[in-house]
Amino acid sequence: MAQNPLIQNQFTADPSVRVFNGKIYLYPSHDIPATPGHGRAGWFCMQDYHVFSSPNLTDWTDHGVIVSQNTVPWADSAAYSMWAPDCIERGGKYYFYFPAPAKSGGPKGFSVGVAIANEPYGPFIPQPLPIAGIHGIDPNVQIDKDGQAYIYWAQGNLYGAKLKANMLELASEPVKLEGFPDKGLKEGPYLFERKGIYYMTYPHVADKIERLEYAMSDSPLGPFKYAGVLMDESLSGCWTNHQSVIEFKNQWYLFYHNDDLSPNFDKNRSVRADSLFFNEDGTIRKVIPTLRGVGVTASSKKIQIDRFSAKSADGVGVEFLDTLNKFRGWKTIFNKTNSWIKYNGVFFGKKTAGRVNVNACSATGGTLLISTEDKPGKVIAKLVIPKGNNWSVVKKAVSFMPGGVRNLVVQLKGSGHVEVDWISFE
């Protein structure tokens, strides 16, 4: 999907995102509901990892399970604690790092394991033992410009160490990283480098729930200097957040998570993405979360206008289509004359004629006006939504078909109550 959350048919969290061979690969953790005997009720429950890929930030492919608690020789197969992972390429091989509790008789707490593949989507082969010397969660691995690899993790504080060239063993003693707030939980370290500056990003509970912060250094192991807040606490109250930062086609992006698909239980989370920008002095502008997210939506796809860029102050609402199956997504509700919603970044081909399709339902009947954001806006089509209690696709020939990338506005003309699932063009 080209909207937030990026994956809408399952729960995803703790995104580690990489660019391999010109494509984006998303390595999240995988929240599932706990069931009797499988996980702890009311807590995080995660038994495996998927990987997703995209050539354009819009179309995502699920490559399926790559590592499971049942396939790791040293891991406790009944722990359901496969927490935040990472992946990196070296020498044509892909190294997937993940935390998990060990079997009875192994190290207490969390260890960090490695699985290796010849392709970024697998198959990944878990190594027989975890990395010696690491006790913690949320591994992050980076390779510096000189070829030296570093691994970072959390264990109450943030830690780092050098990795050997085999990417499986520590090459130095772990060090506690300095320059971060003393109070409050810190976890999820993710380091990236830009113009000689090393940025350490991390979630931190400064008050009651996590926000994203960052610190800067001229060295991969610091010392770091606290630089500010990358993203404020979630307005929904989601207790956790977790991030990664990448550059793709000359634009930087922040990947993170929220509880979009599970607003009443924040242990089932969903990955999001928004654009990230830097100030001239190298500091990062605070990222404001959006529903629209990133990427361009093809006009021929189902445009989910509930993932809007802007809307009128009143008369427009967004609700789940089915509260018993939230993976079905959302609907947009128009209930006031001239109420409107805007959706940015729709790509139209070169067609000069066609039609628009709107999946809608209206107990009262109503009229929708679809136009571009041009000033003055150019009307694409005016659709009469029939009165009824069932969803149906209303089709209408367009007055004109826009070209290129345009912003769309959908507006209710006259009175009525109209619900819209999606619109598309053909």
Side-chain angles (χ1 to χ4, degrees):
M1 306 296 289
Q3 306 92 199
N4 285 328
L6 296 178
I7 310 301
Q8 296 185 13
N9 64 354
Q10 61 187 276
F11 296 117
T12 53
D14 308 321
S16 172
V17 181
R18 299 292 183 180
V19 179
F20 296 137
N21 306 317
K23 292 180 69 173
I24 298 173
Y25 287 86
L26 163 64
Y27 300 88
S29 53
H30 182 201
D31 292 333
I32 59 174
T35 57
H38 300 86
R40 172 182 160 190
W43 193 240
F44 302 102
C45 184
M46 303 132 102
Q47 69 177 356
D48 57 34
Y49 300 100
H50 287 233
V51 59
F52 303 83
S53 68
S54 174
N56 54 12
L57 289 163
T58 299
D59 302 298
W60 293 90
T61 298
D62 181 358
H63 297 277
V65 174
I66 55 172
V67 172
S68 165
Q69 63 182 11
N70 300 316
T71 61
V72 178
W74 56 268
D76 181 355
S77 61
Y80 291 89
S81 297
M82 308 292 279
W83 290 6
D86 194 11
C87 188
I88 202 162
E89 181 272 338
R90 181 160 204 164
K93 292 187 178 295
Y94 297 86
Y95 296 84
F96 181 76
Y97 297 81
F98 58 93
K103 292 178 178 178
S104 178
K108 294 187 180 298
F110 279 81
S111 297
V112 171
V114 189
I116 305 174
N118 293 322
E119 301 290 347
Y121 46 82
F124 282 89
I125 307 300
Q127 298 302 290
L129 295 172
I131 300 176
I134 296 181
H135 304 284
I137 60 173
D138 303 346
N140 166 238
V141 177
Q142 299 290 349
I143 300 175
D144 202 13
K145 296 184 292 294
D146 62 2
Q148 177 62 58
Y150 296 84
I151 187 167
Y152 306 91
W153 65 95
Q155 188 185 9
N157 291 291
L158 305 182
Y159 293 85
K162 292 181 179 181
L163 275 175
K164 292 184 179 179
N166 64 12
M167 305 298 284
L168 303 174
E169 301 174 273
L170 297 186
S172 67
E173 289 295 317
V175 297
K176 176 185 173 184
L177 304 180
E178 302 292 343
F180 307 97
D182 294 325
K183 296 182 179 180
L185 173 68
K186 298 177 292 293
E187 55 182 357
Y190 185 92
L191 184 102
F192 70 95
E193 182 269 337
R194 175 183 178 270
K195 295 184 177 181
I197 298 175
Y198 297 88
Y199 297 81
M200 177 59 76
T201 64
Y202 58 95
H204 174 221
V205 181
D207 185 15
K208 295 180 180 179
I209 63 175
E210 290 184 340
R211 68 185 187 186
L212 300 181
E213 300 177 353
Y214 75 104
M216 301 163 67
S217 178
D218 58 7
S219 169
L221 291 176
F224 290 88
K225 183 178 180 180
Y226 178 81
V229 176
L230 181 57
M231 175 176 282
D232 288 328
E233 293 89 343
S234 166
L235 293 177
S236 72
C238 184
W239 183 72
T240 65
N241 203 348
H242 189 104
Q243 76 301 328
S244 57
V245 178
I246 63 164
E247 184 181 20
F248 182 65
K249 296 184 178 179
N250 300 314
Q251 174 61 53
W252 289 85
Y253 298 97
L254 173 71
F255 289 76
Y256 60 104
H257 70 229
N258 201 10
D259 55 3
D260 296 89
L261 291 168
S262 180
N264 298 320
F265 182 62
D266 63 0
K267 309 304 184 292
N268 288 162
R269 299 151 297 175
S270 298
V271 167
R272 288 173 159 218
D274 276 295
S275 299
L276 180 145
F277 300 93
F278 295 86
N279 298 311
E280 290 186 5
D281 62 358
T283 56
I284 303 174
R285 299 180 197 172
K286 186 183 293 185
V287 178
I288 307 301
T290 73
L291 294 176
R292 176 61 186 88
V294 296
V296 175
T297 303
S299 62
S300 58
K301 297 289 184 70
K302 292 179 179 178
I303 303 166
Q304 307 287 349
I305 61 172
D306 50 77
R307 307 292 88 188
F308 56 84
S309 304
K311 66 181 183 67
S312 55
D314 56 8
V316 175
V318 173
E319 295 180 0
F320 283 106
L321 280 164
D322 183 350
T323 56
L324 298 180
N325 180 11
K326 296 183 175 66
F327 289 136
R328 288 189 60 198
W330 298 264
K331 60 185 177 183
T332 303
I333 301 171
F334 300 87
N335 55 26
K336 186 176 181 179
T337 301
N338 293 327
S339 55
W340 57 269
I341 204 162
K342 183 173 73 171
Y343 186 99
N344 287 358
V346 177
F347 174 73
F348 290 86
K350 297 180 180 180
K351 291 183 179 180
T352 57
R355 69 183 184 188
V356 60
N357 305 318
V358 179
N359 191 30
C361 177
S362 177
T364 63
T367 301
L368 293 177
L369 199 68
I370 300 176
S371 61
T372 64
E373 197 195 5
D374 306 343
K375 295 184 178 180
K378 297 185 69 175
V379 175
I380 299 173
K382 186 176 182 179
L383 294 96
V384 175
I385 310 301
K387 181 179 179 180
N389 295 316
N390 297 320
W391 289 91
S392 62
V393 178
V394 180
K395 303 179 179 182
K396 180 68 178 291
V398 301
S399 301
F400 84 106
M401 185 70 87
V405 177
R406 308 292 281 272
N407 301 335
L408 295 181
V409 176
V410 181
Q411 186 176 31
L412 177 66
K413 301 302 291 184
S415 61
H417 179 108
V418 177
E419 301 181 356
V420 175
D421 183 6
W422 49 261
I423 69 174
S424 68
F425 294 84
E426 61 180 345

